[in-house]
Amino acid sequence: MKVDVLIIGAGGGAYPAAFRLADSGKIVLMADPKGVLGGNCLYLGCIPSKTVRELIEINDRSGRLLGSKNHADFRSIQKHKDDVQQLRFDQHEQERSVFKNLKFLKGNVTFTGSNSADVSTEDGTVPVEFDHAIIATGTVVSRISFPGSDLCITSDDIFSFGTVFREIPDKMVIVGGGYIALEVAGMFHKLGTEVHLFVRTETVLRNVDRDLVKIAYPLITPFRVHLNTTIRNVAGKRGKLTVNYTENGEDLSMQAGEVLLAVGRKGVVPEGIDLTGVKYSSKGIIEVSDTMQTSVPHIFATGDITGRTPYFHAAVRESLVAANNIIGGTVDRMDFINVPVSIFTYPPVSYIGILRNEAKEKGMDIVETSYAMSGDARAQMYEEQDGEIRLFFQRKTGRIVGGWVVGLDAPELINEIGTAVFNSLTAKDIARFPDQHPTTNEGVSKAARAWKESR
Ligand code: ADP
């Protein structure tokens, strides 16, 4: 097969480019062994985990606010999760079928040269020649190895499409201090599981602004956190495990139904990549410039494999940048800085741009303004009044450079703040916008209006 563009993977870094390239008339081949579009995000990541999170939250709210005695039925939650995934597989398939010049194969891609590859499908190997390629092969969970580590589960076991994981464990050890560990810990805590989070270091969310973590930490960890703790081994059988661990130098042991490892993800570099000359690191990260080109200009890489901003929404934008540059020469560039990030804990935590500590490190003269969720009408309706909205402005120009939100609707609010940051709006611009009442967005313009007082 001879194509203009070969796209490897079918996740957020892949299919938006496939659609745009096909729309421009290019002959495109996209391949993924999953046989469906959506990548890891839809198959086992963001969509299933956020579906489960939302249903647990509904259950929690109806219990707290209405005295509903119904305990979340985890089987129903998991069934709804599968239904949402299926709905989106079907939707993407429908979107794809519109393009006659876009072929999708269920199979794994191996490079055989800098302009050639093999796709191994159930019906045999399909050799492909291409002018351009986009590598969007994403990441997989990293596993650490210790005696009994094969008895441990990962987030894939809980969230994969059609998973057999349908029972809530009585007690669960979660190993990790990143966003996946915290999100999963929060969910099972609300489901009634006794959760123990084992964090190897002295803090969680190591790459997040320290002051933001300080505000968020007591709110998002209502379960037991064991800092400076490493797991030594696990024995027994799933449902009845003995976990031996070292906490602050002391050797201890506990029983748990499940042990979940959430210790990071690593890049998946396609086989044969050395034949292309594309540079990549030992951690499976493919270096790209802001045009999304690798060290070999006709081969692009997008999404998590680039190790830059590992979020679906960033992958989508990167995918479109790659497509635009394949169609039109170097016409588009990725802004890796102004990408919103959310941690979907209870309450959620979101941020974008330059925050307090980075501003300090850069020697920037910053004005901060804030809005407390305690006075927010919608937060009062839900009795979820913890947290704040905080905006960071350049003192001289009044232009916003970043913001964070801890509390109700943080992932939604960061989109409005993010649009302001992306477009370098001033405090006055933001303050003049009549954010709707009664939504938590009111807090964004209210925080901007506090600019004058804080100056
Ligand atoms: P993104 O970073 O683009 O959002 P994801 O991690 O969501 O990516 O998805 C990456 C996809 O790439 C997965 O669905 C995975 O099956 C697929 N993939 C990984 N390696 C290969 C390969 N060698 N050939 C084809 N597809 C691959």
Side-chain angles (χ1 to χ4, degrees), residues 131-440:
D131 292 334
H132 287 96
I134 300 177
I135 304 173
T137 44
T139 55
V140 287
V141 283
S142 313
R143 291 198 71 111
I144 41 174
S145 181
F146 49 79
S149 56
D150 53 321
L151 295 166
C152 303
I153 57 169
T154 70
S155 61
D156 291 359
D157 293 287
I158 301 175
F159 299 120
S160 281
F161 180 61
T163 177
V164 295
F165 191 97
R166 311 240 155 195
E167 303 280 338
I168 302 170
D170 290 344
K171 189 168 168 183
M172 192 171 189
V173 167
I174 297 178
V175 182
Y179 75 94
I180 296 176
L182 286 163
E183 289 179 3
V184 175
M187 287 185 222
F188 281 91
H189 171 75
K190 276 215 190 296
L191 285 169
T193 299
E194 181 186 326
V195 171
H196 292 258
L197 185 73
F198 285 10
V199 183
R200 192 164 44 89
T201 55
E202 247 168 42
T203 175
V204 296
L205 299 171
R206 270 188 300 150
N207 300 322
V208 180
D209 186 285
R210 293 331 309 157
D211 294 341
L212 171 54
V213 174
K214 220 178 274 169
I215 296 169
Y217 183 78
L219 303 177
I220 64 176
T221 54
F223 38 80
R224 183 70 211 283
V225 182
H226 304 251
L227 297 174
N228 299 311
T229 299
T230 48
I231 194 157
R232 291 201 316 280
N233 59 65
V234 175
K237 61 175 187 162
R238 277 187 54 202
K240 218 174 177 317
L241 296 167
T242 303
V243 186
N244 293 308
Y245 60 101
T246 306
E247 181 168 357
N248 288 315
E250 194 182 348
D251 287 349
L252 298 165
S253 171
M254 77 164 72
Q255 303 291 314
E258 296 283 6
V259 177
L260 178 125
L261 300 179
V263 292
R265 300 184 66 86
K266 58 172 194 282
V268 181
V269 174
E271 276 177 48
I273 193 160
D274 292 333
L275 299 169
T276 65
V278 167
K279 280 195 203 136
Y280 61 97
S281 76
S282 56
K283 287 191 174 151
I285 298 300
I286 298 180
E287 252 177 62
V288 287
S289 66
D290 60 359
T291 61
M292 305 316 298
Q293 280 163 297
T294 65
S295 55
V296 175
H298 71 279
I299 301 182
F300 291 67
T302 53
D304 294 3
I305 190 75
T306 67
R308 299 295 288 265
T309 39
Y311 314 105
F312 185 86
H313 46 290
V316 169
R317 171 69 192 133
E318 290 168 11
S319 185
L320 296 174
V321 169
N324 291 342
N325 290 337
I326 290 171
I327 296 165
T330 311
V331 293
D332 205 356
R333 290 178 191 277
M334 176 66 192
D335 175 352
F336 291 107
I337 310 252
N338 292 314
V339 172
V341 179
S342 288
I343 302 147
F344 289 82
T345 40
Y346 305 101
V349 178
S350 303
Y351 58 93
I352 185 161
I354 297 173
L355 308 180
R356 185 186 292 152
N357 286 294
E358 190 182 346
K360 250 187 233 166
E361 280 158 28
K362 289 194 153 99
M364 291 168 70
D365 191 4
I366 291 289
V367 175
E368 285 183 27
T369 67
S370 68
Y371 169 84
M373 284 292 181
S374 55
D376 185 81
R378 192 171 135 81
Q380 288 161 353
M381 293 173 202
Y382 284 115
E383 293 182 8
E384 291 173 28
Q385 292 146 259
D386 287 325
E388 63 168 34
I389 297 173
R390 189 164 289 268
L391 307 179
F392 300 91
F393 299 95
Q394 226 173 19
R395 184 182 300 275
K396 209 165 147 201
T397 61
R399 293 193 186 282
I400 186 165
V401 294
W404 74 47
V405 185
V406 179
L408 181 65
D409 300 333
E412 285 76 28
L413 294 176
I414 210 66
N415 291 320
E416 179 177 347
I417 298 169
T419 308
V421 173
F422 197 84
N423 293 292
S424 296
L425 298 187
T426 62
K428 203 167 164 188
D429 296 328
I430 303 167
R432 280 195 304 218
F433 184 69
D435 276 295
Q436 281 190 96
H437 181 66
T439 69
T440 37

Side-chain angles (χ1 to χ4, degrees), residues 8-13 31-34 39-41 107-109 136-139 268 270 303-304 315:
I8 310 169
D32 191 308
K34 289 189 172 72
N40 293 318
C41 168
N108 212 64
V109 176
T137 44
T139 55
V268 181
D304 294 3

Side-chain angles (χ1 to χ4, degrees), residues 51-63 68-78 166-169 187-193 346:
T51 306
V52 171
R53 181 203 181 274
E54 292 302 301
L55 294 196
I56 294 171
E57 187 158 69
I58 291 169
N59 185 68
D60 173 66
R61 283 178 179 158
S62 67
S68 140
K69 297 278 181 291
N70 280 347
H71 243 300
D73 171 10
F74 194 56
R75 286 178 179 275
S76 311
I77 291 177
Q78 292 293 66
R166 311 240 155 195
E167 303 280 338
I168 302 170
M187 287 185 222
F188 281 91
H189 171 75
K190 276 215 190 296
L191 285 169
T193 299
Y346 305 101

